[in-house]
Amino acid sequence: MNVRQAPEFPQWPQYDEKEREGLIRALEQGQWWRMGGSEVDTFEREFAAFHGAPHALAVTNGTHALELALQCMGVGPGTEVVVPAFTFISSSQAAQRLGAVAVPVDVDPHTYNIDVAAAAAAVTPRTRAIMPVHMAGFLADMDALAKLSADTGVPLLQDAAHAHGARWRGKRIGELGTVAAFSFQNGKLMTAGEGGAVLFPDTETHETAFLRHSCGRPRTDRRYLHRIAGTNLRLNEFSAAVLRAQLGRLEEQITTRQKRWAVLSPLLGAIDGVVPQRADERTDFPSHYMAMFRVPGIGEADRNALVDRLVAAGLPAFAAFRAIHRTDAFWEIGAPDETVEQIAERCPHTEAISQDCVWLHHRVLLAGEQDMHRTAEIVADAVAAV
């Protein structure tokens, strides 16, 4: 492989004096947990308003956000949740840890989002939720999914861990009328190292979620009146202070990523054997959590070797998610009554994508335009060498 000058990507996470000021503000208020402080409450209001939702609840991490949302939607033993087979394992395990069966379905080979027809075929009388994952910040077909939900009576839970700030036909995620869960893990589009949030379209579910995330206790409880079963998923004041600062620069960063993807995507597409991820054009403001592309037919071993070459050349590159049914964790609890081979036969696109897809961290798309050209040159050299 030719040796090229590595692009200069910004570090991630990004921070400035606003995070420092927020941490000091949280420190000096004298109350470091949400029940006594003001940072979490304020962040929830700001995050909900930014996404056009009536309510937001901040929690400990994105996995807990999914689990709490599913629990509030009635998911538990004897129920099923339809999930895409190509996703991070938390999407399925959030349902499985509640005692439900996670039913994987195939994804679109271009957007990598849930195949709506496959989701429809998987719905049974036991289905309590359908979970579209907005892969890399490109939204799933929310029009078709909304119709499926209306036709079947099965609610949607948007796994929006990649989609902070994204929009579908001009609508923000909180304006799409469903519950949505977010992650603030260290690599996400906004972060406090860990953290999560759930958007709710109605007050009743939001209040139930608050009780469940705070050991079943009402907000003003002083007598240990645990009204429903719950656990401690409360976000701390320091994390919320950091997230308020992170939220303040999110839209500007997304706009920059959009401009850079408009340069990088056609450059990648011009490389022999490389196919960039495509967005549904109705996602008119994708958040670009990843810069994803496929090398169809490469095979998993050569794909992994390609990733190693990209990393050696200075790109923050990763192999894409393994199909969830190809992980040991999936089969420990809450797996459907099928074999790996049967699920694989139903999910041919997932099988292929999980072996030939590569992604670059979103900080690549915060670099300069010339760095997009250097990135594409490195990818071209690495693909040619494998």
Side-chain angles (χ1 to χ4, degrees):
M1 183 172 67
N2 296 331
V3 177
R4 298 186 185 273
Q5 180 182 357
E8 295 183 6
F9 302 125
Q11 293 297 309
W12 191 265
Q14 293 187 349
Y15 64 92
D16 59 22
E17 287 304 310
K18 291 182 180 179
E19 277 83 358
R20 296 182 191 276
E21 292 168 2
L23 287 169
I24 293 172
R25 186 176 63 240
L27 177 74
E28 293 182 344
Q29 71 178 340
Q31 290 289 332
W32 298 347
W33 72 313
R34 73 158 302 156
M35 304 310 292
S38 63
E39 294 294 326
V40 176
D41 287 343
T42 304
F43 170 68
E44 288 172 340
R45 290 194 296 270
E46 293 170 347
F47 192 76
F50 184 84
H51 288 91
H55 305 284
L57 182 69
V59 295
T60 40
N61 56 61
T63 304
H64 286 159
L66 290 171
E67 191 171 326
L68 177 64
L70 289 171
Q71 186 179 28
C72 292
M73 296 166 74
V75 171
T79 67
E80 297 174 351
V81 177
V82 176
V83 299
F86 180 68
T87 183
F88 185 65
I89 195 67
S90 288
S91 301
S92 64
Q93 291 210 318
Q96 291 169 304
R97 285 178 56 80
L98 291 171
V101 172
V103 181
V105 299
D106 209 5
V107 297
D108 180 273
H110 306 295
T111 66
Y112 317 157
N113 285 323
I114 195 168
D115 182 307
V116 180
V123 173
T124 76
R126 296 181 297 277
T127 307
R128 293 294 177 270
I130 300 168
M131 186 190 299
V133 177
H134 300 317
M135 186 58 62
F138 291 174
L139 269 62
D141 187 343
M142 292 304 296
D143 290 349
L145 286 163
K147 184 178 186 305
L148 174 60
S149 178
D151 290 346
T152 61
V154 177
L156 304 176
L157 167 57
Q158 299 180 69
D159 182 338
H162 300 175
H164 315 66
R167 297 173 198 156
W168 175 262
R169 294 200 297 131
K171 289 186 177 181
R172 295 168 290 176
I173 284 178
E175 295 173 313
L176 295 173
T178 85
V179 179
F182 295 79
S183 169
F184 306 128
Q185 178 269 343
N186 199 64
K188 295 301 187 292
L189 293 164
M190 50 181 290
T191 181
E194 291 285 4
V198 188
L199 300 181
F200 295 98
D202 65 284
T203 300
E204 181 179 359
T205 310
H206 173 242
E207 288 300 318
T208 298
F210 185 96
L211 290 173
R212 292 200 183 279
H213 106 297
S214 190
C215 302
R217 297 179 71 184
R219 296 173 188 270
T220 58
D221 176 46
R222 297 177 63 186
R223 300 181 181 180
Y224 301 102
L225 300 174
H226 304 274
R227 292 184 178 174
I228 58 177
T231 188
N232 182 1
L233 305 180
R234 295 186 298 263
L235 190 71
N236 67 79
E237 290 286 283
F238 296 106
S239 294
V242 170
L243 288 168
R244 291 182 64 194
Q246 295 274 300
L247 181 62
R249 64 176 71 90
L250 177 62
E251 186 155 6
E252 181 180 355
Q253 289 173 333
I254 293 174
T255 300
T256 298
R257 292 187 186 99
Q258 290 225 51
K259 293 177 180 177
R260 298 298 180 262
W261 180 247
V263 175
L264 180 59
S265 180
L267 291 173
L268 293 174
I271 301 169
D272 187 31
V274 172
V275 181
Q277 181 188 19
R278 292 206 319 244
D280 187 312
E281 62 183 12
R282 291 169 292 180
T283 301
D284 48 17
F285 196 65
S287 53
H288 296 290
Y289 172 58
M290 304 164 171
M292 303 187 82
F293 61 89
R294 296 180 63 186
V295 187
I298 191 174
E300 186 173 5
D302 284 342
R303 187 275 309 272
N304 295 343
L306 169 62
V307 169
D308 290 342
R309 285 180 175 271
L310 296 176
V311 171
L315 298 188
F318 302 84
F321 305 118
R322 185 175 295 274
I324 59 173
H325 55 274
R326 296 286 183 182
T327 69
D328 293 338
F330 178 76
W331 296 98
E332 186 174 337
I333 54 172
D337 187 20
E338 295 179 277
T339 66
V340 172
E341 291 73 21
Q342 287 172 324
I343 297 175
E345 186 175 356
R346 291 195 292 101
C347 301
H349 298 311
T350 295
E351 288 289 302
I353 295 168
S354 64
Q355 294 182 48
D356 66 26
C357 187
V358 173
W359 64 275
L360 309 177
H361 187 263
H362 61 78
R363 67 188 181 94
V364 168
L365 299 177
L366 293 176
E369 183 172 330
Q370 188 57 42
D371 290 311
M372 301 303 99
H373 291 269
R374 292 175 184 165
T375 296
E377 290 169 351
I378 291 173
V379 172
D381 290 344
V383 170
V386 173

